[in-house]
Amino acid sequence: MFLTILNYNRGYRVMLSQALCKTSRSYTTLQLFYLMKKKGFVHSVCSYTALIYGFCREGMQDNVFQWLDFMQNNGCKPNVITYMIIVKFLFDNGKFKEAMNFVSKMERERCNPDLLTYNVILRELFHRDRLDDISELIQVMDQKGLSPDSYSYAALCGGLLKIGKVGDACELLLDIFSNGAADVAVYNIYFQCLCQENKSREALSQLKRKMKVGFKPNNVSYNTMLSGFCKEKKY
DNA sequence: TTAGGGTTAG
């Protein structure tokens, strides 16, 4: 089977990056990786990144950093995606300082953080209630000409909600809706805000109204409503 | 070919 895959360079890479790393099979991926190397394939930043991503998802921290070193020793420079994956992994594991050190490292190596990386940092800063740093970060993003997208809004509004500033979150959300840059995740945060203020019925009627103009709720939207109604003991 | 946000319950 492997040999068949080896005959199709592109097919192999897709298999390596998509099929294996995303389904918690990093060990199998690793075997394939070595087999490919043995057969003379030169791995790209994408294959190394896919492998590192797999290790992050499985919480295999030692492997993450070993492979980061390994790729660099093999003359392959990590790119913004590689770094962002590692930064998020460190945040998710409570290693804030280490993550921020990686952000500085990115900048030093002229691998400038992009909107996705800033969104990850923004979310983490909110979770840590570091409002001064958030304001500074938003200024930096603005200076770099990075316009916020729906992920940025989710980080901002979700963060405000998480630290108990429901009113501010609602205000910001209504402002976002008037500019039309929201998607289902951002709307779900809005429904959550309403439910938190014991306005589950209003959340439901807004959901229905939105559906009439093409809005497609998902399981999170419905779960948010259900949770709101249960908390209010309406049913 | 690689990446980021939102729900609950257990």
Side-chain angles (χ1 to χ4, degrees):
Chain A
M1 181 205 174
F2 279 159
L3 290 176
T4 313
I5 295 165
L6 300 186
N7 289 330
Y8 300 95
N9 194 344
R10 190 174 175 278
Y12 141 71
R13 289 181 192 283
V14 170
M15 183 173 175
L16 177 74
S17 61
Q18 292 181 354
L20 297 177
C21 278
K22 287 186 177 172
T23 54
S24 293
R25 289 180 189 163
S26 288
Y27 182 71
T28 319
T29 309
L30 208 55
Q31 286 180 313
L32 187 55
F33 202 97
Y34 277 122
L35 186 64
M36 288 303 304
K37 202 164 189 289
K38 213 170 150 187
K39 292 282 168 189
F41 282 88
V42 176
H43 291 296
S44 70
V45 60
C46 295
S47 14
Y48 281 109
T49 302
L51 194 62
I52 288 173
Y53 182 52
F55 288 133
C56 285
R57 286 170 66 102
E58 291 176 37
M60 299 162 83
Q61 187 178 316
D62 291 346
N63 291 37
V64 170
F65 294 109
Q66 277 164 12
W67 277 81
L68 182 65
D69 285 342
F70 187 67
M71 75 182 278
Q72 287 170 305
N73 293 338
N74 278 275
C76 186
K77 276 179 78 174
N79 64 13
V80 65
I81 300 176
T82 324
Y83 279 124
M84 193 270 272
I85 289 168
I86 294 172
V87 167
K88 186 173 185 331
F89 171 73
L90 289 169
F91 279 150
D92 290 345
N93 286 279
K95 298 184 173 162
F96 182 79
K97 265 191 177 176
E98 289 92 329
M100 292 311 285
N101 286 341
F102 262 93
V103 176
S104 308
K105 187 171 152 67
M106 285 173 83
E107 284 161 344
R108 275 200 310 274
E109 292 181 7
R110 295 191 178 178
C111 176
N112 288 327
D114 60 1
L115 182 62
L116 277 76
T117 313
Y118 281 117
N119 286 345
V120 169
I121 303 170
L122 209 52
R123 178 175 176 269
E124 182 65 21
L125 291 175
F126 261 112
H127 285 186
R128 291 177 176 263
D129 204 355
R130 296 176 68 139
L131 296 181
D132 290 343
D133 292 333
I134 291 162
S135 136
E136 199 180 313
L137 190 75
I138 290 172
Q139 279 180 27
V140 171
M141 289 170 74
D142 193 45
Q143 281 162 10
K144 291 190 174 181
L146 297 170
S147 306
D149 64 3
S150 55
Y151 283 78
S152 325
Y153 293 136
L156 283 166
C157 303
L160 285 169
L161 183 61
K162 210 152 256 174
I163 59 174
K165 297 184 183 295
V166 188
D168 290 338
C170 268
E171 207 176 305
L172 180 58
L173 282 158
L174 292 173
D175 195 41
I176 293 164
F177 297 151
S178 64
N179 293 321
D183 64 6
V184 64
V186 180
Y187 271 102
N188 287 343
I189 296 169
Y190 180 56
F191 298 140
Q192 206 192 328
C193 283
L194 292 175
C195 290
Q196 201 135 317
E197 291 189 319
N198 294 326
K199 293 176 183 167
S200 305
R201 202 170 284 280
E202 190 187 329
L204 185 60
S205 68
Q206 295 233 21
L207 175 78
K208 285 180 183 167
R209 203 176 310 145
K210 287 296 301 172
M211 283 171 76
K212 281 182 188 158
V213 291
F215 175 75
K216 286 189 178 132
N218 60 14
N219 63 327
V220 178
S221 326
Y222 291 118
N223 285 343
T224 304
M225 296 289 165
L226 284 171
S227 161
F229 279 114
C230 288
K231 273 180 196 152
E232 283 185 51
K233 296 181 183 164
K234 290 271 170 72
Y235 289 95

